[in-house]
Structures are given as structure tokens and as C-alpha cells.
Amino acid sequence: MNSHHPARAGLAAGAALGLVVALAACSADAGASSDQSFEIWDEVVAAAEGQTVKLWMWGGDEQGNSYVNDVLVPAAAEQGVTLEQVPLADTADALNRILSEVQAGESDGEVDLVWVNGNNFGTGKEAGAWECGWTDLLPNMALTAPGDPLLQNDFGTPVDGCEAPWHKAQFTFVYNSDTVTDVPATLDELLDWARANPGRFTYPAPPDFTGSVFIREVLYSVSGGTDAVPLAYSDEAFTELSPALYDELADLAPSLWRGGETYPQSSTELDQLFADGQVDFTMTYGPATLTELVSNGTYPQGTRVLTFEEGTVGNASFLGLASTSGSKAGAMVVANLALSVEQQVTKAEPSVWGQFTVLDLEQLSGEDRALFEALPSSPVVPSYDVLSENANPELAAAWVTPLDEGWRAQVLAR
């Protein structure tokens, strides 16, 4: 699966000529060596030959694991790079490893690429965990839309070439249409449904990534919409807006699964409750994976997606390059490969991983665009255009921890 299309590569490489991307780490402590500085893409490709790249990523998604190991790994091998997946229980484990290496002045660390976004990206950027300013050299970046807001900011933190886009995500509520007949059209109606049907709805306990975004969705709802909540965090905004959020969630708690006495500890646990028929709703950032889950019998045949009038939160996932990596050229080759039309189309196949592309279809040739248009439609999941209608912005990463900690104190402990 060779992604190196000469016309596409030439377009971006031409733009990058004369652009010196000195791969010096954001943190002076990491001390990248001079043989990891590149001026043009051909130098990157030459330096990458024979390198081993370790991709640290959440290991809880079977389709994601299979895509990386069965599709991306052999494609990287064709380009002379040995790609190894390192499955994680929590992305923060990768960040902590990099930060300990930064402290130690490591320049040939254990982490090369990380599947990252949100709080981990913002925290890592501040602490010098990420290589920055390298993505302009990737030829396939030319296939993304320069003004795409989802690719410019990650939970309110400017990307600044510190991570390469990988796929888009849309937070989505999922229900069993065989058991839910009065389908909610807004988040407010969903919470009313939960109160009218005790024990049939719950959400993962923050700081689980999915549970955390659920409470941010409720914050938008009880505050009167996205315009009422400033994207940038301030203590004043938190003090003003969070009481209504916690009051709503505390009031909801007795109507939840097990009376709100306990919560699923992860999105995986919530998914299992839904699969077992113990609850009628689940929620996910990766709705395209639902097609395969229904097809293989994990989820009930009646599984469908809610589309709320006010929309839901949308974002993008990225590949971050560790500032302490000793295989930066190889990591750049993998990140560029992951952005190729071939990889993005394959990854979008519902039977493979079903992730939404970050490429701008308008930038593609008619032949390449046709590959995306030929992807099978799903009986379960609407198209990305429908899912992302009225998409809500992610709040800045600085909101996440105070909201999560407030939930534990104000909701869980009540």
C-alpha cells in the first residue's frame, strides 16, 4: 500500500523547499542530535530507512489495534520503517514516560509517536514533550484544508505543527431502537428520558475520556448552549457555570443504572452494559465503529445513532512526535503515510476501523475522491456530514480537570 503519489508529494515538497525544519526539541533539556535536522522531505526519507518507530496508543479498541498491526505496520515496512504498536491502558502513561525522559535529558527514548489529543496534548506541549514545527514537511499535509479549525486547535491549544492529524471524531449518543421508542431529540430530552426510565441510562465516571465529554455536553446544555460557555477557562466562569451542572447531574443520579451508587469506570464498561442489554444507551467519540459492532453481533441489531438538534462536540485525533525520540525521521514517515489517501480510505472502511478522514476531499483528484465516495454507507451510522452538523467546539483543556474533580466532589460524593 504505497502512499507516495508523485504529484501529491511534489506539491507539498515544493512548498517545503527552503523551509528548514530543525528538529530541535521544544525543551532544551531533550537535546535532539544534529542528525535529526532536515531541510527537505527526501532527507527525512533517507534518514528513516532502517529505523524502528514505537507508536504508543490506547489499546482498548480492537479494530484500531488490528488496523495498525495489519495495515499500517506492513505499509511502513514497505517504506523501510519498522513500526511497533505499544498498547496503553491510558494515553497519559505515554506522556508521563516522555516527560520523565525530558527530565533525564534523553534523546533516544522509548516513545516515538503517540495517538493523542485533548488534555494530554496541551499538558505535554507546555512541558516540552512534543517535537514542534515538523508537520509542514509532510507531503500529505497538502491534502488537508489549511483553515480547518479542528486541525488548528486541539482542545483550545494551538497545534503549531506539534502533532499530525490522523482522523476526525464526533461525540455521539447511541441507543437501542428496539427498546427506546420515544427517541430524544436534544440532550435535555435524553436526561428527561433517563428520569422517566430509571436504571436504563448511565455514563462513565470522569476522568474517563468519554465520561468527561459527557459532563461538558451537559454543561453546554444547562448553561443555555455553546455561546454561553467561554472556550477559554477561567475560575470566574467555572464558579458561575458549574453549580447548575452539578445540580443537574446530582438530581439525575438516582435515575441512573444502579441508582447512581456506582458508575462504569470506563467507556469500555459502558459499552459492555449496552451490549448486554443492561442499559439502552451508550456514547462514543468513534461512532463509525458501530457498524462492525452491530454486524458481528456485539451490539443489538436495533442500534442507532442519536442526532441532537443542538449538535454534539467534535474534534480530531493526532499523532504526536515525542521530543525525546531518536527515530524522528521514521516517525515523520509513518505520520505522512497515515495521512495518505490509501491509508485514510482503508481506515474509513467500517469493516477495518471506520474512522472519519482528516483529508479535504476538495483537494483530491477525482480518482482519489471517488475512493471515499465508494465507501459503503452504514445502516447504523449517518454520514460524517450529518453527524457533524451543528458540531460544538471542545472547551480548552484547562476546563477538563476542574470539571472532572468537581464532579467527584459535587456529584459522586453526594
Side-chain angles (χ1 to χ4, degrees):
M1 215 175 262
N2 183 5
S3 76
H4 193 78
H5 187 296
R8 294 198 295 264
L11 176 66
L17 280 173
L19 169 69
V20 177
V21 178
L23 291 185
C26 302
S27 163
D29 294 335
S33 58
S34 58
D35 63 358
Q36 295 199 87
S37 298
F38 309 102
E39 295 185 18
I40 59 172
W41 183 245
D42 285 348
E43 292 178 359
V44 177
V45 172
E49 185 73 35
Q51 287 190 342
T52 295
V53 172
K54 292 180 179 174
L55 168 58
W56 291 49
M57 61 181 277
W58 183 59
D61 183 331
E62 286 185 21
Q63 277 188 289
N65 296 338
S66 297
Y67 160 71
V68 168
N69 289 302
D70 299 344
V71 180
L72 193 58
V73 165
E78 285 185 16
Q79 301 202 3
V81 176
T82 300
L83 178 61
E84 295 178 358
Q85 185 207 20
V86 180
L88 295 171
D90 190 330
T91 305
D93 296 343
L95 178 59
N96 290 335
R97 172 61 71 93
I98 299 168
L99 293 179
S100 67
E101 291 175 350
V102 168
Q103 290 286 140
E106 179 66 68
S107 59
D108 189 14
E110 283 297 306
V111 186
D112 300 305
L113 288 174
V114 184
W115 177 21
V116 68
N117 81 340
N119 217 10
N120 288 314
F121 172 68
T123 302
K125 188 183 178 196
E126 202 171 308
W130 310 120
E131 194 67 53
C132 292
W134 56 277
T135 60
D136 281 349
L137 265 186
L138 306 185
N140 288 329
M141 277 296 290
L143 304 178
T144 65
D148 189 334
L150 289 187
L151 307 188
Q152 292 179 320
N153 290 284
D154 188 346
F155 279 63
T157 301
V159 170
D160 290 340
C162 304
E163 52 182 358
W166 201 18
H167 48 255
K168 290 186 175 179
Q170 191 66 41
F171 184 62
T172 305
F173 291 95
V174 181
Y175 70 103
N176 183 352
S177 63
D178 293 335
T179 55
V180 178
T181 50
D182 45 342
V183 181
T186 65
L187 182 55
D188 204 32
E189 288 183 14
L190 172 59
L191 302 187
D192 286 345
W193 185 96
R195 290 183 174 96
N197 297 271
R200 304 301 301 172
F201 178 84
T202 191
Y203 57 94
D208 171 81
F209 197 67
T210 304
S212 185
V213 71
F214 172 74
I215 67 170
R216 296 196 299 276
E217 291 280 8
V218 178
L219 177 66
Y220 278 146
S221 181
V222 299
S223 301
T226 55
D227 292 343
V229 184
L231 297 183
Y233 176 82
S234 70
D235 289 338
E236 293 77 15
F238 178 82
T239 301
E240 178 190 345
L241 298 172
S242 63
L245 165 69
Y246 298 135
D247 286 347
E248 176 78 1
L249 292 175
D251 181 75
L252 179 70
S255 303
L256 298 177
W257 173 73
R258 292 192 175 170
E261 293 295 319
T262 184
Y263 290 79
Q265 293 305 297
S266 66
S267 57
T268 306
E269 284 187 28
L270 174 61
D271 291 343
Q272 192 60 53
L273 292 177
F274 179 73
D276 292 344
Q278 293 193 54
V279 295
D280 295 315
F281 290 84
T282 187
M283 53 193 78
T284 178
Y285 261 119
T289 60
L290 298 169
T291 307
E292 180 66 12
L293 290 168
V294 173
S295 171
N296 67 23
T298 301
Y299 280 2
Q301 286 299 309
T303 299
R304 296 292 181 270
V305 163
L306 285 180
T307 49
F308 284 162
E309 292 169 3
E310 71 267 36
T312 56
V313 165
N315 67 32
S317 284
F318 297 83
L319 294 174
L321 172 50
S323 62
T324 53
S325 167
S327 299
K328 288 174 179 164
M332 291 169 71
V333 165
V334 171
N336 185 64
L337 174 64
L339 272 173
S340 67
V341 168
E342 292 84 353
Q343 288 293 321
Q344 290 276 309
V345 167
T346 302
K347 190 170 61 169
E349 285 273 2
S351 62
V352 177
W353 196 6
Q355 295 287 4
F356 303 121
T357 186
V358 290
L359 303 186
D360 177 13
L361 300 191
E362 298 301 311
Q363 306 253 33
L364 305 184
S365 68
E367 185 181 348
D368 286 341
R369 193 158 51 243
L371 296 174
F372 286 99
E373 290 166 352
L375 286 166
S377 60
S378 166
V380 181
V381 186
S383 69
Y384 178 73
D385 290 348
V386 172
L387 278 177
S388 62
E389 195 171 2
N390 302 322
N392 302 164
E394 284 282 12
L395 293 175
W399 273 99
V400 176
T401 300
L403 285 172
D404 290 353
E405 289 177 350
W407 179 86
R408 300 194 82 80
Q410 302 290 327
V411 180
L412 190 63
R414 276 196 194 186

